[in-house]
Structures are given as structure tokens and as C-alpha cells.
Amino acid sequence: MLPVFLVSNKPFTGKNLIALGLALNLKERGYKVSYMKLIGKFPYRKDNQIIDEEAYFIHSMLESQDPAEYCSPFVWTYQVQYKLFEGEDLKIEEKIFEIINNQKDKDILFIISGDTFFEGYSLGIDSLSIIKKLKTKTLVIQTWEGETSIDDILGIKDLASDNFLGAVLNKVPPEQYFYLKETVVPFLINKGVKVFGVFKKDKFLESVTVRRLLEIVNGGIVCGEDKLDEFVENYLVGAMDPGQALPYFLRVHNKAVITGVHRTDIQILAMETSTKCLILTGGLHADENIVNIAKSKGIPIIVTSLDTFSAVDRIQNIMGKAILKEKDKALKFKEILAKEFDIEGFLKELNL
């Protein structure tokens, strides 16, 4: 069994999605693959066990026959934090290495690091410790945020030393894609970094469901319950004069429109455009006429007692940062990865 460690020095770089996309493609080629997320942060109860919700989704997508705890050996909870600060030996490292040793029948085990290179240091499961102890091949997943992204890749390359495998550039703004391919990638190659893929930022992959928006604003659903699993790619705030609203709404597709519950003029205009849902702030009672129009158009209405600023703040913080738990996203990225990732070069570097 060959462990491949996906690391980053920032959160939300797409490590889990890339691991799943790779695993699905390799499984299709006949390889035995497995997955482990070292530090779970989204507690989910399964068969009287607490595991990470995102990890369990990936475990299910891979149709793994291994116990669910294999994909998520450790999850941060308040109870665990209390035990750590009390000085209790949690034996997390032992558990993780025991699970790894139990998967020797696999060809590849994809291991996902914490959000940063040193996360998990107090537990003995930070990236550097895992690389040293397992001597695992290390793949950096890096979002493109300008030249500092190069620093992260080269810094991790130096720290991983002989265990460094290469890098993936992810969530690249489309207008910078060719610049990276023609300028940044050759620079990295000259520095000894193999770049296995460059992925453009994708609105669908960064979208959230109406259901997730309902949760994040702690709202109530007025109508459109059957549309809760629709994907929302953008959001707009409806706080302008009606005369300015329509051109504004027409420019953005597949959006949620956030506006005050009393702004019925804005709500009507929003529903004339590509709107996935209305989020009405500052009250819990939507106008009856608005509800009837929304029902006829199949547009969900969410009401929340939050003010517009607070609702926008919460939504802004999750767009592009939602955990992976939608099959449609996973299957789409599997197709993208098959085209944009150098799978043959990857397997060659692993001697598989």
C-alpha cells in the first residue's frame, strides 16, 4: 500500500475534492484505493460513532467496505478539546497508524492533512510529523492567490524533502489560467516542482444548496420545499431603487437574492430573472402575493429574523467553502480531473 498525502498551508484549497476525483478515476482503472481525513471538523453520528460528515460522504462515494472510522479516525469536538487541555493522552496517533496498517491490501491510500501545514501539531498529527513518520509521497494542493502561492509550494517542497511528489494549482481565476500555464508552471518546473494539474475556479463546484442557505441564516422555508437541493452559485443584495434592480439582477445567474421582507418591489423583479431562491430578512412573514408568484415559478422563499447585513455576512463566509457532500459535484469533478490532471505522470512518479 502506498500512502499519498495531500497537504496545503491554507484552508479550503480543495484537497478532499481532488482526492475523491483522483480516487474515482483510479478505481475505474482497477486500482484499490482508500481515503482518510486526519482531522475531522464536521461531526456526524454514524452507528453510534462520531465521524466527519465530509469524510463519510467520500467513503460512501468510493463504496468502501472498510469500517466508516477508517475514513475519519479523529474528529475535533468540545469533549476532545477538553481532554487535550486536561493533559489526557488521546492516543490519536496510535489509532491513525493502526488504521493505516490495516489497509495494506490497498494500492493507494489518500490521506488529507489539516487546513494548514502545522495543524494537529499538539496531537502529533501535523503534516510534517506524518511525512516524516510515514515517508509518504506528498502532493501540495494550492489555490492561486498570487505570488505568495508559489512560496507555499516551494516551502512545503523544502520541508517534505525527498518525499515531495509535486503540486496542483486549484481554483484559478479563469482570466489568469493561461498566465499560470505559460509562466508560473514553467517557473515551478525549473524549481523542481512537477505540476500535475491546473484547475480553473468553477462556480458550480463552489456553489451551495438552498438547504444549506436555509441552515446558515437560521431561517424558515415558506414555499419551494422540493427545491432545497438546488444549487446556488451566486448571491446579490436587493437594496437599490427598483429602476436599477432589473439590469443588476439580469447580469447574474443561478443566484440567491437577499432583501428585506417588506421590499416586495425588489422581490418581484428578482423573480423575473435567474433566481434560485429569495432570502427575506428582518421578519418571518412573507407577502401573500409574493408567495403565490414564487410558488408559480418554483422559487423557494426563505425568511429569517436576521437583518440583511448579518445574513449577507453569513452567506459570504460559506460561498466556495462548503463541505463536499453532493454527488453531482463529485461526479462533475471526476470528469474535469480526468481531462486536466496528468494521471499517467502521477502513476509513473508513484511507480504504479
Side-chain angles (χ1 to χ4, degrees), residues 28-88:
E28 205 168 70
R29 291 178 176 222
Y31 289 95
K32 294 180 181 178
V33 295
S34 189
Y35 162 93
M36 173 189 287
K37 186 176 185 181
L38 282 182
I39 303 175
K41 294 183 177 178
F42 306 100
Y44 173 75
R45 185 172 292 279
K46 175 65 178 175
D47 300 331
N48 295 321
Q49 286 184 312
I50 299 297
I51 58 177
D52 181 84
E53 184 177 8
E54 185 173 43
Y56 183 68
F57 170 77
I58 294 175
H59 180 83
S60 302
M61 284 295 298
L62 294 176
E63 299 177 332
S64 175
Q65 300 303 307
D66 293 325
E69 67 174 23
Y70 279 24
C71 72
S72 176
F74 170 70
V75 180
W76 263 121
T77 62
Y78 286 117
Q79 291 85 349
V80 169
Q81 189 179 67
Y82 179 79
K83 289 178 182 178
L84 174 68
F85 293 154
E86 286 293 302
E88 183 175 334

Side-chain angles (χ1 to χ4, degrees), residues 3-8 117 127-128 131-132 135-142 149-169 188-196 346 349-350:
V4 176
F5 196 32
L6 277 67
V7 306
S8 63
F117 202 70
S127 295
L128 191 56
I131 292 168
K132 286 180 177 179
K135 299 192 184 318
T136 176
K137 294 294 184 181
T138 302
L139 181 65
V140 181
I141 311 300
Q142 182 68 43
S149 299
I150 296 172
D151 295 334
D152 279 347
I153 293 171
L154 295 179
I156 293 174
K157 176 182 181 291
D158 188 49
L159 290 169
S161 189
D162 294 340
N163 299 303
F164 185 76
L165 183 63
V168 171
L169 294 168
L188 288 170
I189 291 172
N190 287 334
K191 292 289 185 180
V193 177
K194 292 180 175 64
V195 179
F196 292 103
F346 178 74
E349 288 297 316
L350 296 178

Side-chain angles (χ1 to χ4, degrees), residues 276-306:
K276 288 288 187 176
C277 73
L278 291 177
I279 300 175
L280 308 185
T281 60
L284 298 175
H285 300 288
D287 183 90
E288 187 176 341
N289 291 328
I290 295 295
V291 174
N292 289 334
I293 295 171
K295 285 179 178 178
S296 69
K297 292 179 176 290
I299 298 174
I301 292 179
I302 294 170
V303 290
T304 175
S305 59
L306 294 175

Side-chain angles (χ1 to χ4, degrees), residues 35-307:
Y35 162 93
M36 173 189 287
K37 186 176 185 181
L38 282 182
I39 303 175
K41 294 183 177 178
F42 306 100
Y44 173 75
R45 185 172 292 279
K46 175 65 178 175
D47 300 331
N48 295 321
Q49 286 184 312
I50 299 297
I51 58 177
D52 181 84
E53 184 177 8
E54 185 173 43
Y56 183 68
F57 170 77
I58 294 175
H59 180 83
S60 302
M61 284 295 298
L62 294 176
E63 299 177 332
S64 175
Q65 300 303 307
D66 293 325
E69 67 174 23
Y70 279 24
C71 72
S72 176
F74 170 70
V75 180
W76 263 121
T77 62
Y78 286 117
Q79 291 85 349
V80 169
Q81 189 179 67
Y82 179 79
K83 289 178 182 178
L84 174 68
F85 293 154
E86 286 293 302
E88 183 175 334
D89 184 2
L90 301 176
K91 298 184 178 179
I92 296 164
E93 182 186 344
E94 292 177 24
K95 183 179 181 182
I96 286 171
F97 280 88
E98 180 183 347
I99 290 173
I100 291 171
N101 287 330
N102 287 341
Q103 299 192 70
K104 291 182 177 178
D105 61 319
K106 305 296 190 301
D107 295 311
I108 301 176
L109 168 61
F110 290 105
I111 306 173
I112 308 301
S113 76
D115 286 342
T116 67
F117 202 70
F118 293 104
E119 185 173 12
Y121 191 88
S122 60
L123 304 165
I125 55 172
D126 58 289
S127 295
L128 191 56
S129 296
I130 295 295
I131 292 168
K132 286 180 177 179
K133 291 168 185 173
L134 271 181
K135 299 192 184 318
T136 176
K137 294 294 184 181
T138 302
L139 181 65
V140 181
I141 311 300
Q142 182 68 43
T143 51
W144 181 249
E145 298 174 354
E147 286 63 33
T148 57
S149 299
I150 296 172
D151 295 334
D152 279 347
I153 293 171
L154 295 179
I156 293 174
K157 176 182 181 291
D158 188 49
L159 290 169
S161 189
D162 294 340
N163 299 303
F164 185 76
L165 183 63
V168 171
L169 294 168
N170 195 27
K171 300 187 180 182
V172 175
E175 66 275 11
Q176 296 186 48
Y177 177 78
F178 289 109
Y179 165 69
L180 263 69
K181 294 281 281 188
E182 295 170 4
T183 305
V184 176
V185 170
F187 172 81
L188 288 170
I189 291 172
N190 287 334
K191 292 289 185 180
V193 177
K194 292 180 175 64
V195 179
F196 292 103
V198 179
F199 296 94
K200 295 178 185 177
K201 186 176 287 190
D202 187 294
K203 281 286 188 183
F204 176 68
L205 296 177
E206 297 198 341
S207 64
V208 296
T209 61
V210 176
R211 186 184 305 276
R212 181 66 178 130
L213 292 176
L214 176 65
E215 294 169 356
I216 204 69
V217 299
N218 193 27
I221 187 77
V222 177
C223 63
E225 292 88 345
D226 59 329
K227 302 286 186 179
L228 289 178
D229 293 316
E230 293 280 315
F231 290 98
V232 176
E233 297 177 5
N234 303 283
Y235 68 92
L236 291 178
V237 180
M240 71 293 289
D241 292 331
Q244 300 170 312
L246 190 58
Y248 177 63
F249 291 148
L250 284 170
R251 287 198 297 267
V252 180
H253 298 278
N254 299 329
K255 62 186 175 292
V257 173
I258 309 157
T259 191
V261 71
H262 302 300
R263 290 300 307 270
T264 56
D265 50 352
I266 293 294
Q267 295 159 30
I268 289 170
L269 289 170
M271 288 191 288
E272 292 299 317
T273 66
S274 176
T275 297
K276 288 288 187 176
C277 73
L278 291 177
I279 300 175
L280 308 185
T281 60
L284 298 175
H285 300 288
D287 183 90
E288 187 176 341
N289 291 328
I290 295 295
V291 174
N292 289 334
I293 295 171
K295 285 179 178 178
S296 69
K297 292 179 176 290
I299 298 174
I301 292 179
I302 294 170
V303 290
T304 175
S305 59
L306 294 175
D307 60 74

